[in-house]
Amino acid sequence: MQLAHPQYLWLFLVFIPLIVWYIFKQRNAKPSMAVSTISPFAKTGTSYKSWLRHALFILRLGAIGCVIIILARPQIKDNWRTTSTEGTDIMLAMDISTSMLARDFKPDRLEAAKDVAQQFVSARDNDNIGIVIFAGESLTGIPMTVDHAPLQNYIAGIQTEMVTDGTAIGDGIATSLNRLKEGKAKSRSIILLTDGSNNTGVVSPMTAAEIAKEMGVKIYTIGIGTNGNAPFPTIDMFGRVTYSPQPVVIDESTLKQIAQTTGGQYFRATNKKVLQEIFSEIDQLEKTQMDVRHFSHTEDNYMTWAWLAFAFVCIDLLLRYTILRTIP
């Protein structure tokens, strides 16, 4: 039990003048009557009502005291509890090059990947998750966080024109590793999703993979794209976007090497359903036991004192107008 406003307890000092006033009042409130002798009353003694009337004052002090405690806001003391749960540090590295607008996925690769990524994030309540986007260059969208609401909102708003076009897989991994350095979980991983091959950037994919291996970071690589041809977006001479079938080319060899080097796995997503299954499999693979401390919220606990004050007032009124009733 704790008090939100313990300073209100100083109000109990008001009891001192109240008690002094009551004693002074009692000394001057004894009735008197002139009689020739008091011998007939010598053995009558003092009635219990004479003592009971002091209880009225005590009941009033009790009611005032309860009100003071209520003003001080008694509360249930906050508690910490530790539970064992599963959690890890994860960075999503998402390719947002123009080729991600290919429509072999519905409505396109990028929207399908965003949808599945959001579902994955929503299912990982205890994880630190962040996102890196890359095309011709890479940048951190959201650093690792356990507050997944802004992460979900960011993923929903990803567009291909957010960075220059190209496919810098190595830079995407490097930026993700830079963020994972800040994490404290025992298990750290990158989920890399791309539909092409590395054709630009400062860091080569395998150099980034070697750095990830040294850091103990697993990389799960996902090649997204159907087998054969897919409708890719092209811009005609009038600036209009049209879709024409082109061969799907994914550098699966490099993606497999990245995964094998870091202890991760490579997956090929040929449609949205398969992509969902891949993320579900990664969800099962990337779990580790960790202790999480939960802080219980504070609750006001004044109702007991309120009912006690009400009881004091009721008893005071009951005695005053029954047993201790006075004649005007």
Side-chain angles (χ1 to χ4, degrees), residues 95-171:
D95 185 348
I96 62 166
S97 57
T98 305
S99 58
M100 287 291 288
L101 297 177
R103 292 187 173 179
D104 48 348
F105 285 61
K106 299 298 181 183
D108 56 45
R109 293 175 183 175
L110 181 60
E111 290 301 320
K114 287 161 54 177
D115 185 42
V116 175
Q118 285 179 297
Q119 294 175 27
F120 177 79
V121 170
S122 65
R124 308 281 300 198
D125 294 334
N126 300 313
D127 295 328
N128 273 317
I129 304 179
I131 186 165
V132 165
I133 57 173
F134 68 92
E137 55 186 346
S138 66
L139 61 88
T140 302
I142 296 287
M144 286 190 302
T145 177
V146 292
D147 184 4
H148 293 168
L151 181 60
Q152 296 270 25
N153 292 334
Y154 183 84
I155 293 173
I158 291 176
Q159 301 295 329
T160 55
E161 60 269 16
M162 294 174 73
V163 292
T164 57
D165 202 16
T167 306
I169 295 174
D171 286 7

Side-chain angles (χ1 to χ4, degrees), residues 52-93:
L52 189 60
R53 62 190 176 86
H54 298 298
L56 298 179
F57 179 68
I58 295 173
L59 288 170
R60 291 177 183 177
L61 290 181
I64 294 171
C66 289
V67 171
I68 292 173
I69 293 175
I70 291 171
L71 290 174
R73 287 184 63 191
Q75 299 174 328
I76 297 175
K77 188 176 181 179
D78 299 334
N79 291 313
W80 286 97
R81 61 185 179 90
T82 302
T83 59
S84 180
T85 187
E86 294 176 326
T88 184
D89 290 343
I90 299 174
M91 285 300 298
L92 299 174

Side-chain angles (χ1 to χ4, degrees), residues 170-214:
D171 286 7
I173 296 173
T175 303
S176 300
L177 290 173
N178 191 45
R179 288 300 180 181
L180 282 170
K181 288 192 301 183
E182 305 167 3
K184 298 180 180 179
K186 294 180 181 178
S187 175
R188 297 179 295 172
S189 59
I190 297 171
I191 301 175
L192 175 75
L193 192 149
T194 182
D195 68 343
S197 57
N198 192 79
N199 56 26
T200 186
V202 178
V203 182
S204 72
M206 290 313 301
T207 299
E210 290 295 338
I211 296 172
K213 181 181 178 181
E214 292 177 6

